[in-house]
Amino acid sequence: MVFRRCLVTSGLIVFFAFGCSGGANSSIENTTKVVQENNLTQLLIEAKTTQKAEDFFAQGNNLLDRQHYEDAIKAYDKAIAIKVESPEAWINRGIALTSLQRYQDAIASYDRAIAIQPDKYEAWYNRGIALTSLQRYKDAIASYDKALAIQPDKYEALINRGIALTKLHRYQDAIASYNRAIAIKQDLHQAYYNKACSYALQSNLELTIENLDKAIEFVPNKYKKLAKTDPDFSKVRNTKQFQELLQ
């Protein structure tokens, strides 16, 4: 069973439009112009500061993609030091921490993002992954449910939710979660494979074969190889039907 991370790649780009006006003809107009110029200077400073934060954010994303996780965290920290209210930087920082198996720190990073923007799907989704890695399955399901309340059509969250439910031996609920994912994306081979796992854990050979066959139909080499060693299939692995399917 494989988890999928959800990276926030889009930066926050701020555009400012400045107009021109005629010369001032009175003291009142002069005063207004001074205020406008002060505002313009402030806007320029804010724009430069924002751009610097976005540069560090982009640098962090590049390092994260290259799997340089420690350096990515440093870049995100610099972005956050400039612009602390950036849920995107906190989320991607959490992903880097998760990749280093620093799950508690990752959850703290996701929580900071959620405190800034409670309806941030990526924060809840990746938080669920970190919680699952800590075997906190009930909390992980709660996080995935939050993510799905925000974006119900995200099949990735439904798959990972199903995995957490399987770990709790809630096989029927897990299968229902996978079925919801398949309803969104019918060629979702990961969901079929995980359904096969859930059925195998219940010693339901017929439905194990049916769903594993569907997964193999989409990606033959991957799932034949996985199924040969996946412990979820231990109850059905020695059956003739299972062995024939993997040939």
Side-chain angles (χ1 to χ4, degrees), residues 103-115:
Y103 302 122
Q104 293 288 4
D105 292 335
I107 292 166
S109 203
Y110 299 136
D111 285 344
R112 290 295 297 269
I114 291 166

Side-chain angles (χ1 to χ4, degrees), residues 37-56:
E37 288 176 348
N38 286 339
N39 288 341
L40 176 59
T41 301
Q42 183 61 35
L43 287 171
L44 287 170
I45 292 170
E46 291 175 359
K48 289 179 180 178
T49 300
T50 298
Q51 186 58 55
K52 190 177 292 186
E54 294 306 321
D55 289 343
F56 283 126

Side-chain angles (χ1 to χ4, degrees), residues 46 68 78-79 112 119 133-135 137 139 149 158 163 195 218 221 233:
E46 291 175 359
H68 296 174
K78 289 178 181 177
R112 290 295 297 269
D119 64 347
S133 298
L134 291 171
Q135 300 183 9
Y137 302 122
D139 292 334
L158 286 164
I163 291 170
K195 276 181 69 180
F218 288 118
N221 293 335
F233 294 112

Side-chain angles (χ1 to χ4, degrees), residues 2-3 6 69 74 99 105 111 190 197 203 214 221 231 237:
V2 180
F3 298 106
C6 191
Y69 302 123
K74 291 176 183 176
S99 300
D105 292 335
D111 285 344
Q190 303 96 325
C197 291
S203 300
K214 194 74 173 178
N221 293 335
R237 179 166 285 114

